[in-house]
Amino acid sequence: MSGAGRGWGFAAPALIWTGAFFVVPFLVMGAMSLATLEGREVVWGISGENYADLWSRPYLRRAVLVSVEITLTVTAVSVLLAYPLAWIIAHRVPERWQRLALMLAILPFWTSYVVRSYAWLLVLGREEWINDALTGIGLIAEPLTLANTRFATVTGFVHFFTMLLTLTIYANLRQLSPNYARAAADLGANGFRTFAHVILPLTLPGIVTGAFLTFVLCIGDYVTPQILGGNTELTVPQVIMVQLGRRADFPLAAALAIVLMLLVSLAYLASARWLRLDRV
């Protein structure tokens, strides 16, 4: 067998798996999004009715907007929190303690996603310690409504994704030679200019990679908005579950899923372009 034949032979299991469990389901979902629902029956065909409904129905439009807003907020806040944490672990924690520090940083990954969300729901409740503390020191007169809000959803997400971004940024910082900072200092750059013009651009791949993973996982998440956000603001995954569970409107749910995939694809193209530009 030739080298090309052996290569295709090794790649065949992965290609078959990808085709069977990704390409075919995606094509079926795409075809479903073009079907229509008449009564309780799905009528197959080529129709843009479901996509038109996304813009004509305010609650569907609102769900897409809320999902994008929450995801961008979580990504930005997580980056701002993760970079200093990764920097401290990489440059301020002694090397013999860095593994322990990383282990402590990823502890949230060891906890069940559902348990972690319910724990935040308890922490943010009106009768829990945050409100008690703020009331006790006189900062607020009445307990704040923190649970079942967008703030609670963002807090739950940030708690998880800050740790993910810390790992990707830490890996980049550890690969960065200290000679870059020394060279910048020799050329007269102060600490801020060294960071802004040398360190930050060289660590952008870790930031962009972590931000993309955060975007993908956050925008498609159902559990955290459902538990922490309640039903005050529905995200796209929540609306999809409503369409499937209450109305059995599979075509509209498929159209919403396609929109989610388009948003993820746009995020991928933006991050890939950024990384290519960074290497130029």
Side-chain angles (χ1 to χ4, degrees), residues 165-186:
L165 275 155
T166 298
L167 294 179
T168 61
I169 297 171
Y170 170 83
N172 239 195
L173 288 170
R174 288 294 297 169
Q175 294 172 1
L176 193 63
S177 173
N179 291 329
Y180 289 111
R182 297 191 188 111
D186 288 341

Side-chain angles (χ1 to χ4, degrees), residues 121-153:
L121 188 64
L122 293 175
V123 170
L124 297 173
R126 289 181 62 86
E127 304 300 328
E128 299 302 328
W129 68 270
I130 290 183
N131 272 312
D132 289 344
L134 293 176
T135 305
I137 61 179
L139 288 180
I140 58 175
E142 297 292 334
L144 299 174
T145 302
L146 300 176
N148 298 319
T149 62
R150 182 183 296 197
F151 172 80
T153 301

